[in-house]
Amino acid sequence: MSDPRPLDDGGAAAPAACDPGLATVAGLAWRMLILAEVGNFSTLRRLLGRLRAERLIAEIAAEIAKVLPGARIAPVGRAAVEVCFEGSVPTEADQVIARLRTRFAQPFDIDGELHTLEMLFAGAAMPVHDDDDVRLVEAAESALAQAHADQRDVVRDLTRIEHAYDRLALIRDLGSAVSEGQMFLQYQPKVHLRRQEIVSAEALVRWQHPERGLIFPGDFIQLAEECGKIGALTLWTIRQVIADQQMLAADGHDIPIFVNISGVLLADSAFVEQVCTMVRGVPARIGFEITETAVIRDPESAIRHLRQFADIGVALAIDDYGAGLSSLAYLKQMPASELKIDKMFVLELTSSNRDPLIVRSTIDLAHALDMEVTAEGVETPAALALLSVMGCDMAQGFLISRPIAIGALRQFVAEQRHLAVTNAARPSFGRPESFWKRA
């Protein structure tokens, strides 16, 4: 992915509202609204005093303006800043958040003293032809609420179904979606970079709604969690994965398939027992992917249940590493064999100075903990080549394959289509290979 260059146009001050009229430049098809909130504002107010703390948000806004000189920036309340800009693709919002997070990871100078700012970032993106500013703001605020709950960055694309239809209607329809056969699975393969072979795949659930068309998981998984239907959906997914994995094994490709497990379920003893009963003794290789935030919600129960899964032979992978509150205290207790680096560090791997260092150090950390490393979001041959030089074990992303149905996956693996991509990836970056090996 390219840097969001429209932000660097040195534009003069503009209104804080995301005016669609400002996005008429050719190629800028999306409007983005990012909210940056100081999570520890109350603590800083007690430390600095009310009057000094209330000036802080203006200083933070000024600092954001230095990082994003072309954006329209304004404080909103005492503890948050609104950032509006345009871009060519909605993922530029993720890239901007990554740049802001890098800046605010450094101590902030307040009257000559350095203080840590615990920043939360969230946002929303919509096409420029949609002039509903209220919907954009509401989506960004909703994303910020989720960021508070999950302690991770959240960006919502308003072209996705969650924002186009009534939530209550979707919750109602979820009740019959599984029983009526509306759910289906797609699989995204992971390639082992040294062995040059497909070694596993991730199962991704989709919803083919009879009236609303294809609905992606980002638009209904949270709803399923909120209305108590996530357990039934996950059990259906595991049953389907077992059947599909056995088909792959019968073809001679006995690779594990990984299922995402919600943090809500990881603390549910009854669900864990159901899964163990379902999986124990079944001749199928499956794994579970769990996020750091899923463990942080209830560490004691989560780690105990993860060990139960590991004891019956379920492979465990830590998903989206680095996107949440990465904690070594929990990481070293988790019986995982794989760590997946979040795509926000991979998308700009060959164009950023800091991301390669973060990725390289994460690879070393995981290897020290006897885990293999998967890079998510691999989209370019240059990124794949650099990951290989860094010692990353596996890669997953659109460069290798988009998510595909089980029939297409069986054909993909049988024909070894990944080899055309992995063989073409050669180190092609400015610095010598030795630099990245020691970075």
Side-chain angles (χ1 to χ4, degrees), residues 19 28 48 83 106 115 125 127 162 171-172 178 189 197 223-224 258 292 299 302 304-305 320 329-330 333 335 366 392:
D19 181 357
L28 302 187
L48 302 172
V83 182
Q106 306 169 35
H115 294 269
E162 178 184 352
I171 289 174
R172 182 193 63 233
V178 171
E197 61 185 34
L223 294 180
F258 284 78
E292 300 167 273
R304 182 176 70 253
H305 292 151
D320 298 336
Y330 298 134
Q333 298 180 60
C392 185

Side-chain angles (χ1 to χ4, degrees), residues 96-411:
V96 164
I97 286 177
R99 290 165 64 181
L100 293 175
R101 187 159 290 288
T102 297
R103 167 59 190 93
F104 288 102
Q106 306 169 35
F108 195 80
D109 189 327
I110 303 176
D111 299 334
E113 293 184 345
L114 297 179
H115 294 269
T116 298
L117 301 182
E118 297 174 4
M119 301 297 295
L120 285 168
F121 297 97
M126 66 162 30
V128 294
H129 59 73
D130 189 338
D131 61 358
D132 190 347
D133 276 336
V134 173
R135 196 159 68 96
L136 182 65
V137 171
E138 287 179 346
E141 290 176 346
S142 175
L144 185 61
Q146 184 180 344
H148 273 285
D150 294 349
Q151 287 296 298
R152 64 180 178 88
D153 302 331
V154 178
V155 176
R156 292 184 171 169
D157 176 347
L158 269 72
T159 60
R160 305 281 290 273
I161 199 76
E162 178 184 352
H163 306 287
Y165 295 98
D166 182 73
R167 286 168 57 88
L168 292 178
L170 283 182
I171 289 174
R172 182 193 63 233
D173 294 346
L174 263 173
S176 57
V178 171
S179 62
E180 295 181 1
Q182 297 172 17
M183 296 294 180
F184 68 98
L185 298 181
Q186 290 186 320
Y187 297 95
Q188 191 168 39
K190 290 183 277 188
V191 65
H192 198 286
L193 298 181
R194 290 186 298 279
R195 306 209 304 259
Q196 296 284 289
E197 61 185 34
I198 299 298
V199 291
S200 65
E202 179 182 358
L204 300 164
V205 65
R206 307 287 192 247
W207 181 5
Q208 186 64 46
H209 195 284
E211 298 174 1
R212 298 166 182 171
L214 183 62
I215 305 178
F216 289 92
D219 302 311
F220 65 85
I221 292 298
Q222 184 181 357
L223 294 180
E225 292 175 337
E226 291 174 2
C227 67
K229 294 181 172 64
I230 190 65
L233 177 58
T234 304
L235 291 173
W236 172 85
T237 301
I238 293 171
R239 282 193 292 269
Q240 188 63 51
V241 162
I242 288 173
D244 289 348
Q245 199 280 335
Q246 289 175 328
M247 281 197 292
L248 277 171
D251 292 342
H253 307 293
D254 191 16
I255 61 173
I257 296 178
F258 284 78
V259 176
N260 289 280
I261 302 296
S262 165
V264 173
L265 298 176
L266 201 55
D268 186 337
S269 297
F271 170 83
V272 170
E273 288 301 325
Q274 278 184 283
V275 171
C276 289
T277 300
M278 182 186 300
V279 172
R280 191 182 288 110
V282 173
R285 299 177 63 193
I286 72 168
F288 294 154
E289 293 191 5
I290 47 92
T291 63
E292 300 167 273
T293 51
V295 174
I296 290 170
R297 290 180 181 185
D298 184 354
E300 184 177 345
S301 295
I303 292 171
R304 182 176 70 253
H305 292 151
L306 288 174
R307 287 174 178 159
Q308 283 183 244
F309 290 145
D311 288 344
I312 62 172
V314 174
L316 299 175
I318 301 168
D319 197 15
D320 298 336
Y321 184 79
L325 295 175
S326 305
S327 171
L328 294 178
Y330 298 134
L331 188 63
K332 68 180 183 179
Q333 298 180 60
M334 296 166 66
S337 58
E338 179 183 341
L339 185 148
K340 302 183 73 176
I341 300 175
D342 188 79
K343 66 181 179 181
M344 72 177 182
F345 299 109
V346 177
L347 290 174
E348 295 189 77
L349 191 61
T350 57
S351 60
S352 164
N353 290 325
R354 290 178 177 267
D355 286 350
L357 304 178
I358 294 171
V359 170
R360 176 63 197 185
S361 63
T362 302
I363 292 170
D364 289 342
L365 171 64
H367 287 169
L369 294 172
D370 293 325
M371 287 189 283
E372 288 193 302
V373 181
T374 297
E376 297 183 287
V378 179
E379 297 186 358
T380 66
L384 187 67
L386 182 51
L387 288 164
S388 181
V389 169
M390 287 180 168
C392 185
D393 303 288
M394 293 171 283
Q396 177 182 355
F398 275 36
L399 179 68
I400 297 157
S401 173
R402 62 179 177 82
I404 51 181
I406 183 61
L409 177 65
R410 293 169 70 184
Q411 189 173 358

